[in-house]
Amino acid sequence: MSEVNPSLTVEDLLQVVELDDIVLLEVFAQRSNKQLSTSKFSDLLGGDVDPEYELGCESELSGRGFRVRLRVTIETEAGPVRVEVAAEYTLQESLFEEYQPSVIREFAQFVGFFAVVPYAREAVASVTQRVFGAGLLMPIIKREEIELIQESAGDSEATPGDSITPEGD
């Protein structure tokens, strides 16, 4: 097992990481039991949409790769919607465990997050179009909504497998 190298930065990580794949882990929407026509369902998708986001990062067992996951959960009057997308990365010259959790967190928040958002946005629009008859457009996600990490009790740093969650309003 490798030890954390405190001198490694996000810039170092960017030099040795490759994006291998973007994968859909979950695509779900369930139409409510309300007896409404498709046009009425599209009315239920309108108005204020307040998605919940969960951003997580986890290492691969080999230590040579990791994944940044984004889960989007939306509750609408038409029914619930869940989408989870992941960007899968491989490290070429170092191991995941060599990087401080703060470096991995920064990479996940400012590189990985922006790699998966367009795919999550498209998946939400596509699944809601198919299930509800009207596509739902995710609102703009403000950068400050993903700044903070939910830390474990007593920890000042998260470990690489911890979830990174957006700041609450």
Side-chain angles (χ1 to χ4, degrees), residues 26 49-50 77 85 89 122 149 158 161 166:
E26 180 179 26
V49 175
D50 190 21
E77 288 185 55
V85 181
Y89 296 93
E122 189 283 328
I149 182 170

Side-chain angles (χ1 to χ4, degrees), residues 95-156:
L95 295 174
F96 184 80
E97 293 137 356
E98 294 177 38
Y99 292 88
Q100 293 185 54
S102 60
V103 171
I104 299 299
R105 183 173 57 242
E106 186 176 345
F107 180 90
Q109 290 174 324
F110 300 108
V111 178
F113 176 78
F114 292 104
V116 295
V117 165
Y119 294 91
R121 188 178 305 280
E122 189 283 328
V124 166
S126 178
V127 73
T128 55
Q129 178 67 47
R130 285 188 226 143
V131 174
F132 304 133
L136 178 62
L137 183 62
M138 280 175 32
I140 292 174
I141 303 169
K142 297 180 180 105
R143 183 174 166 181
E144 62 269 13
E145 290 178 347
I146 60 160
E147 289 288 341
L148 296 180
I149 182 170
Q150 185 175 14
E151 298 174 353
S152 311
D155 289 344
S156 61

Side-chain angles (χ1 to χ4, degrees), residues 4-17 55 57 66 68 91 94-113 149 156-160 164:
V4 171
N5 181 343
S7 67
L8 292 174
T9 65
V10 171
E11 289 76 22
D12 296 320
L13 180 57
L14 286 168
Q15 298 301 312
V16 298
V17 72
L55 183 65
C57 187
F66 64 100
V68 176
L91 296 168
S94 57
L95 295 174
F96 184 80
E97 293 137 356
E98 294 177 38
Y99 292 88
Q100 293 185 54
S102 60
V103 171
I104 299 299
R105 183 173 57 242
E106 186 176 345
F107 180 90
Q109 290 174 324
F110 300 108
V111 178
F113 176 78
I149 182 170
S156 61
E157 293 285 338
T159 59
I164 299 169

